[in-house]
Amino acid sequence: MKKSDTNFRNAAREEWRRKVREDRLARFEASCKALNGQGYVCRDCTLPPRRAGMFGILAAAPFALAVFIGGLFLPGKIFLMTGNFFADAALFVLLLFVSIPAHEGLHALGWAAVRGTFRGIRFGMAEGAPYCACEEPLPRGRYLFGVLLPLLLLGLGLSIAGLCLRTVPLFALGAFNIACAGGDIIVSARAVLSPGILLDHPERCGFYRFYKDAE
């Protein structure tokens, strides 16, 4: 392939990404204007992805360490799932990688479940990290369900299963997924303290809160 062809493809790809980003931001701004037109006041409750990642690690670390360290003190631990160390190592690494897109997929599934449709749910990358965003404003409880579903199923679910079965790779995978949900923990803590209508931001970590002046 010629260098000029490669440059052309790269330029076309970047142009497509730029248009997708602009379209998402335009839809977000349109939703904000519509809510403002209904008499709602807006408050920005977002963080840049890097800052959210840093704070998220600090928020999730105590829970992840508690699961992992607690599991190490369990009697009669099972260190292998398949009975072969190399097969287990390969399976564990594979599950680590699979859990990352599964995490975002569970966000989408949670929001689709409370809305009855996958319409308006978008995936993307922000500063090298994958994300899932819901483009429609949601009441706080429904928004929280979509935010917390990966933590509940992949984090706490796998951790509890691993501890009950005394299987080290399983509760280690659960601890990893709790650590990956650090940003969700930060967002959820803010959402709990933010009654009203919440609109997920298409790029930043968090949401815009819309509420009436009387609130």
Side-chain angles (χ1 to χ4, degrees):
M1 184 181 295
K2 295 181 180 179
K3 186 175 181 180
S4 58
D5 292 337
T6 301
N7 292 338
F8 176 79
R9 288 174 182 246
N10 290 339
R13 190 180 298 112
E14 288 301 318
E15 176 63 20
W16 175 79
R17 289 175 178 170
R18 183 190 63 79
K19 188 176 187 310
V20 167
R21 178 176 179 271
E22 289 179 351
D23 289 345
R24 288 184 179 180
L25 289 173
R27 290 193 295 270
F28 177 78
E29 290 172 1
S31 295
C32 291
K33 288 181 180 178
L35 288 166
N36 289 148
Q38 297 173 29
Y40 286 96
V41 178
C42 176
R43 180 181 177 186
D44 185 344
C45 298
T46 65
L47 289 171
R50 287 186 182 178
R51 184 179 299 177
M54 179 181 66
F55 290 152
I57 290 173
L58 296 176
F63 302 103
L65 286 174
V67 169
F68 189 75
I69 294 175
L72 293 180
F73 285 96
L74 283 175
K77 292 183 294 296
I78 301 171
F79 288 90
L80 297 178
M81 292 184 292
T82 66
N84 181 282
F85 172 79
F86 295 104
D88 260 37
L91 178 60
F92 184 73
V93 172
L94 175 63
L95 290 174
L96 289 180
F97 281 103
V98 169
S99 64
I100 295 173
H103 179 112
E104 304 307 327
L106 284 172
H107 282 311
L109 185 62
W111 281 321
V114 297
R115 295 169 56 243
T117 178
F118 280 95
R119 184 180 304 165
I121 294 175
R122 300 288 182 265
F123 297 92
M125 297 287 292
E127 298 186 9
Y131 71 86
C132 174
C134 180
E135 292 186 336
E136 292 191 12
L138 293 170
R140 178 176 53 175
R142 295 186 178 187
Y143 180 79
L144 275 168
F145 183 78
V147 172
L148 288 173
L149 193 60
L151 173 63
L152 295 175
L153 295 184
L154 291 178
L156 298 180
L158 289 176
S159 297
I160 292 171
L163 293 173
C164 290
L165 297 173
R166 296 176 299 174
T167 305
V168 174
L170 200 55
F171 68 70
L173 186 63
F176 170 80
N177 277 282
I178 291 175
C180 288
D184 299 335
I185 294 173
I186 297 294
V187 172
S188 299
R190 287 189 162 198
V192 166
L193 301 175
S194 303
I197 302 297
L198 308 185
L199 179 61
D200 207 35
H201 197 278
E203 291 185 337
R204 294 168 65 88
C205 184
F207 54 88
Y208 276 16
R209 176 196 173 203
F210 292 87
Y211 59 98
K212 299 289 187 178
D213 279 327
E215 300 179 21

